[in-house]
Amino acid sequence: MEAAQLKQTTPEPSPVPSPAPSPVPSLDRTTLPTVNHVEHLNVNQIQVVVRRCSSPNVTTETTSFIPRNPVVDAGTNTDPPVVCCPLLRRFCPCPPRGLLASLVTKVLLAAVLFGVVWSITQKECLPGGNLFGITVLFISAVTGGKIVALIRLPKLPPFPPLLGMLLMGFLLRNVPVITEAVYIDFRWSASLRNIALAVILARAGLGLDASALKKLKSVCIRVAIGPCITEACTIALVSHFLMNLPWVWGFILGFVLGAVSPAVVVPAMLRLQKDGYGVEQGIPTLLMAAGSFDDVIAITGFTTCLGMAFATGSTWYNILRGVLEVAGGILAGILLGFLIQYFPSTDQKHLVLKRSFLVLGLSVFAVFGSGVAGFPGSGGLCTLVLAFMAGLGWRKDKAHVEKVVGMAWDVFQPLLFGLIGAEIRISQLEGHTVGLGIACLLIALVVRLLFTFVCVFCAGFTLKEKVFIALAWMPKATVQAAIGSTALDMARGKEDEELKKYGMDVLTVAVLAILLTAPIGALIIGITGPYLLQKPKNSAWGSAAEDDSETPVTYESTL
């Protein structure tokens, strides 16, 4: 008969030792004397007493000390943690791991990166240097975008993060103490904005779908072209008489403001489409498809007028020069697009990386090289065409390149909107310029709404649906930020004060358009959509919409 239990009392040891082995052979055994030694146990040990009865009158007893099992870490550190305070160990383990370790690692990486850059550039990455200013602007713009994205109202689409990026750049430029430390040379700023323009144009060209072009109805073409041209002409007319802009600069401002922003329209349309509003009539698909082509028309008109504004010579010569720049940009884009369709060949390694590098590299080269060659209006159009032609040849494989270009846009988007906001100085703003700019914008928006309402006649829409399409075709953001400062950058290169003033007026009105129409447009779409659009009469739509495997086909803009 055998029994094992924790020692409570120490009986008299038997004079005859037990010949049988202990049941725990791997443990160190110590035969207890007559005195209880429990008080000498270590806190990391467990005392086990084994009693063995060989006969009714003979009992032997063996004591073993078992160490407690240490806590084994799943990582590289296998030493048991030192417990000094349970609450402190819970929130701040030693050594650190989890969230705390991740934060410490990121801070360490940032410190090492700063040390390497500082050892190479020295003053440039210290307060007052260009690298320091760009880094602070980038981090602030990303933070501002995250904060604005967290603002969500019930049953309404979220505010576009670009508003936070724009406002953070504006604050960094107009807070007295921060302005002195965050300095960015205008040449660096212009170069970064032009790179961002090249990236967004390449992304737009890759996003255009040739099959969608064939399937589009006439109403989509009317919505894409008519309101943009009408608003551009209205802005040119009103700004010429109210803001005293020359006709060509009025059209530059008109085409800057004539583009609608898919960055605001597309998310709101996807939200309505998910809930089934206007799906049977195809309204979300119509607006998302027309958004890309509306932007292409605006950018083409802008580049044409930009070349004419900085050309020297007679009026007819400038008009002919603008037409030649458009034709030259299209021809160069076609040739470069065909070239990168076949080179690199499909049997090469790292195909996606090479194609992405060629698309981005040629896009940046086209934007900068056209300015160096004296044809600034052809660079943007060349980028659009070469990306579109390359996508035609790659077919389905272009999706992988689009992902890489999208990653580049994620980096340059905060820089673009932050730098645009940083160009606006309150001290240099003139009150009448702001007031007249807002007046021009409001007049043009009214004309645009009315003309958009007319464009959707004879398309099978109800009165409420026509009103909704007109209201949804109003927000402005991405294209205005991408091309709004281009004229100002070129004027600075010419060192002409009058041209600088015109360029600053264009940029000021473009920023005002973003601040006013982007949030208001998002709210209008979210509020009026459920009231002006109809849900499908087919009750099966609700279950189909919730099925992730059957996502409705849409033509989403990549701008």
Side-chain angles (χ1 to χ4, degrees):
M1 178 178 181
E2 201 176 283
Q5 63 181 18
L6 292 176
K7 180 177 180 61
Q8 296 178 353
T9 60
T10 306
E12 293 295 334
S14 174
V16 182
S18 174
S22 173
V24 189
S26 62
L27 302 176
D28 296 332
R29 305 180 194 85
T30 303
T31 303
L32 284 181
T34 57
V35 185
N36 191 346
H37 290 273
V38 177
E39 64 271 17
H40 299 292
L41 289 176
N42 191 294
V43 293
N44 291 325
Q45 292 179 335
I46 300 176
Q47 182 184 16
V48 179
V49 180
V50 180
R51 293 178 180 176
R52 188 181 301 274
C53 298
S54 57
S55 64
N57 299 325
V58 179
T59 302
T60 59
E61 189 174 277
T62 304
T63 301
S64 302
F65 296 96
I66 304 176
R68 296 179 184 271
N69 292 328
V71 179
V72 180
D73 193 356
T76 58
N77 183 15
T78 58
D79 297 332
V82 179
V83 182
C84 55
C85 177
L87 185 61
L88 180 63
R89 176 173 174 264
R90 178 182 178 185
F91 294 99
C92 185
C94 184
R97 55 180 63 86
L99 178 61
L100 179 62
S102 176
L103 293 176
V104 172
T105 303
K106 291 178 181 178
V107 172
L108 180 61
L109 292 173
V112 172
L113 178 61
F114 175 79
V116 172
V117 176
W118 172 81
S119 63
I120 298 173
T121 61
Q122 297 182 4
K123 293 183 180 180
E124 285 294 332
C125 65
L126 297 177
N130 283 299
L131 288 178
F132 179 83
I134 292 172
T135 304
V136 172
L137 178 71
F138 178 79
I139 296 175
S140 302
V142 172
T143 305
K146 296 290 185 182
I147 294 174
V148 172
L150 294 176
I151 303 175
R152 294 180 179 270
L153 300 177
K155 298 182 180 180
L156 292 179
F159 288 101
L162 54 89
L163 287 177
M165 301 174 187
L166 186 70
L167 291 175
M168 290 303 295
F170 178 78
L171 291 177
L172 290 177
R173 179 58 61 196
N174 292 280
V175 176
V177 179
I178 301 178
T179 303
E180 299 175 359
V182 183
Y183 168 78
I184 302 175
D185 187 76
F186 76 92
R187 297 180 183 86
W188 287 55
S189 176
S191 298
L192 289 173
R193 290 197 303 270
N194 284 331
I195 294 174
L197 173 62
V199 173
I200 194 175
L201 291 177
R203 197 177 181 205
L206 289 173
L208 293 177
D209 191 354
S211 61
L213 285 171
K214 298 178 182 179
K215 296 178 181 178
L216 290 178
K217 299 179 181 179
S218 60
V219 62
C220 186
I221 298 177
R222 295 200 304 266
V223 171
I225 298 177
C228 177
I229 300 296
T230 303
E231 184 177 10
C233 295
T234 303
I235 286 286
L237 180 65
V238 175
S239 62
H240 177 72
F241 292 103
L242 291 184
M243 303 180 65
N244 296 321
L245 289 179
W247 284 108
V248 64
W249 281 91
F251 277 100
I252 288 176
L253 178 59
F255 282 111
V256 168
L257 300 181
V260 73
S261 175
V264 180
V265 175
V266 171
M269 289 295 104
L270 290 176
R271 186 183 181 91
L272 292 175
Q273 181 176 260
K274 180 181 178 181
D275 295 334
Y277 292 106
V279 175
E280 285 189 345
Q281 294 76 19
I283 293 176
T285 301
L286 167 67
L287 295 180
M288 289 187 291
S292 296
F293 305 110
D294 175 272
D295 296 336
V296 172
I297 296 299
I299 293 172
T300 303
F302 170 78
T303 54
T304 304
C305 296
L306 189 67
M308 296 172 58
F310 290 93
T312 56
S314 63
T315 303
W316 289 107
Y317 171 78
N318 292 340
I319 295 175
L320 179 62
R321 179 188 176 92
V323 175
L324 291 177
E325 285 192 12
V326 172
I330 294 176
L331 180 61
I334 292 174
L335 294 177
L336 293 175
F338 271 117
L339 178 66
I340 60 178
Q341 275 187 10
Y342 303 102
F343 302 98
S345 58
T346 56
D347 58 342
Q348 297 185 27
K349 295 181 179 180
H350 310 294
L351 183 61
V352 175
L353 184 62
K354 293 178 181 178
R355 285 177 171 177
S356 304
F357 175 78
L358 286 175
V359 168
L360 291 174
L362 289 174
S363 299
V364 174
F365 175 74
V367 172
F368 283 89
S370 61
V372 175
F375 301 98
S378 60
L381 195 57
C382 175
T383 301
L384 278 170
V385 175
L386 77 87
F388 175 68
M389 295 301 298
L392 282 180
W394 296 337
R395 299 181 184 275
K396 295 182 179 180
D397 293 337
K398 76 173 183 178
H400 303 291
V401 180
E402 283 183 292
K403 291 182 180 179
V404 179
V405 177
M407 294 171 61
W409 171 241
D410 291 338
V411 175
F412 282 97
Q413 183 185 20
L415 287 174
L416 174 63
F417 285 96
L419 290 171
I420 288 294
E423 288 292 333
I424 305 299
R425 296 175 181 266
I426 296 180
S427 59
Q428 297 180 358
L429 285 179
E430 299 177 357
H432 70 278
T433 301
V434 176
L436 294 177
I438 294 176
C440 293
L441 178 62
L442 294 178
I443 294 173
L445 285 177
V446 172
V447 175
R448 182 187 181 95
L449 293 177
L450 294 176
F451 194 82
T452 305
F453 184 82
V454 173
C455 286
V456 292
F457 269 99
C458 303
F461 298 123
T462 64
L463 178 62
K464 291 183 177 180
E465 291 168 347
K466 294 175 184 177
V467 172
F468 174 80
I469 294 174
L471 293 175
W473 214 228
M474 178 182 64
K476 309 175 186 302
T478 312
V479 177
Q480 286 71 29
I483 64 178
S485 62
T486 304
L488 176 61
D489 295 334
M490 294 182 63
R492 286 171 174 170
K494 297 290 184 179
E495 296 183 356
D496 189 326
E497 294 299 326
E498 185 178 14
L499 295 180
K500 287 182 181 179
K501 181 182 180 301
Y502 296 152
M504 181 57 68
D505 291 343
V506 171
L507 177 60
T508 302
V509 180
V511 173
L512 290 173
I514 297 173
L515 293 176
L516 292 177
T517 61
I520 295 176
L523 290 176
I524 288 177
I525 294 174
I527 294 174
T528 61
Y531 295 98
L532 299 179
L533 300 181
Q534 299 176 0
K535 276 193 173 184
K537 298 178 181 179
N538 185 8
S539 60
W541 168 257
S543 59
E546 295 176 359
D547 188 2
D548 295 335
S549 62
E550 297 182 1
T551 304
V553 178
T554 60
Y555 302 108
E556 298 181 31
S557 172
T558 56
L559 275 175

